[in-house]
Amino acid sequence: MMADGDYSRIEIEGGIATLTIHRSERMNALHPAAHYELSAAFDRLAAMNDVRVVIVTGAGDRAFCAGYDLKDNLETGVMELPPTGFAGFNARCDYPLPVIAAVNGIAMGGGFELALACDIIIASDAASFALPEPRVGWAAVGGGVQRLPRAVGMKRAMDIILTGRTVNAAEAHAIGLVSEVTPSADLLPAAMRWASQIAACAPLALRCARQIAYAAFDMPIEQALDMRHFPLSDAVLASEDAIEGKRAFVERRTPNWSGR
């Protein structure tokens, strides 16, 4: 299945949706209409029962997303985001589907924040990451300064945040920001490989695991281990998929997940 918007494209195959930002003439930088379109696209994908994983990438080979479209802002005087944040995603903290960022070039400012908001980042060897906001009098408060320390640790994050410097793909991999670096031609196949592994798992179990991992990150360990804080864990154990998973294991076959 394929669906084109004015600034994005959705392709769905085998339970994996690829959402591509299509503003390559602006380095996939986003203006208000693009933010709202992407927000609607994420909502649409979350409502599709047959979608298990989302891959986000940018059109072309130069940029994943170069951030907010400042040229458009200067031309129109308008700077606006939907309630769901940059790219219609960065302010979401409970999105039900796993999301992979396939970073094919520059991920700058809000574009880097978009990648950080995803669960996994796969990068081409041409990818680069930066939060240059301090260089233009801003701060990366749309998720950059909040999520980067959680991803790589405070000291590594602060040297990136306070200098606005660019991190290349090799360094991003070395500091644990990126899970895999590939040649540009292999980026989407690599992202699909990761997505296929995720799609093979039970959807409700994945949602529970993601919810607890994020919520428990800064909890005291005794609180994080108390499942009374995470009622979804009981639902997972009692789910149809939990029974199906046991049956499939015993019968040595691939599970048929229902998401219930």
Side-chain angles (χ1 to χ4, degrees):
M1 176 185 141
M2 182 180 294
D4 287 348
D6 292 329
Y7 313 108
S8 63
R9 173 179 294 173
I10 295 173
E11 298 174 81
I12 301 174
E13 182 178 354
I16 299 169
T18 301
L19 175 57
T20 303
I21 301 169
H22 265 273
R23 294 196 84 221
S24 55
E25 75 283 359
R26 294 287 182 102
M27 301 285 283
N28 295 321
L30 302 178
H31 63 339
H35 290 293
Y36 279 93
E37 181 175 300
L38 287 165
S39 184
F42 278 111
D43 287 342
R44 180 181 175 189
L45 292 172
M48 292 182 177
N49 292 330
D50 57 341
V51 173
R52 301 288 180 85
V53 189
V54 178
I55 297 170
V56 181
T57 193
D61 56 8
R62 298 177 61 201
F64 171 71
C65 174
Y68 200 98
D69 190 341
L70 296 181
K71 183 177 180 181
D72 178 84
N73 172 243
L74 288 172
E75 292 169 351
T76 65
V78 176
M79 179 168 284
E80 184 179 357
L81 297 175
T84 49
F86 186 94
F89 189 70
N90 289 10
R92 299 179 194 254
C93 297
D94 58 353
Y95 194 67
L97 297 171
V99 182
I100 298 171
V103 180
N104 51 306
I106 292 170
M108 183 177 294
F112 188 6
E113 291 177 320
L114 172 59
L116 286 168
C118 297
D119 297 295
I120 296 172
I121 302 174
I122 311 301
S124 79
D125 51 15
S128 60
F129 305 84
L131 295 173
E133 283 85 347
R135 295 175 178 262
V136 295
W138 294 4
V141 297
V145 299
Q146 299 92 330
R147 288 188 169 108
L148 187 57
R150 292 169 180 253
V152 301
M154 185 60 74
K155 296 302 183 185
R156 288 188 184 276
M158 291 307 288
D159 84 56
I160 297 167
I161 291 167
L162 296 181
T163 63
R165 71 182 181 86
T166 297
V167 175
N168 64 26
E171 182 183 0
H173 187 261
I175 65 177
L177 177 65
V178 165
S179 295
E180 182 179 350
V181 177
T182 75
S184 295
D186 298 333
L187 177 63
L188 285 179
M192 288 292 292
R193 172 168 37 82
W194 283 84
S196 296
Q197 293 179 73
I198 294 170
C201 299
L204 190 62
L206 289 177
R207 185 169 183 177
C208 177
R210 291 169 65 242
Q211 181 186 96
I212 294 175
Y214 285 121
F217 184 82
D218 55 359
M219 284 183 177
I221 189 63
E222 62 273 12
Q223 186 177 354
L225 292 171
D226 186 347
M227 290 299 102
R228 290 176 296 180
H229 296 292
F230 310 109
L232 186 57
S233 63
D234 289 335
V236 169
L237 293 175
S239 68
E240 294 177 19
D241 278 350
I243 297 171
E244 167 63 10
K246 287 182 284 188
R247 285 177 177 163
F249 178 80
V250 170
E251 296 169 7
R252 298 185 180 181
R253 61 173 172 82
T254 301
N256 296 309
W257 305 123
S258 66
R260 299 189 298 270

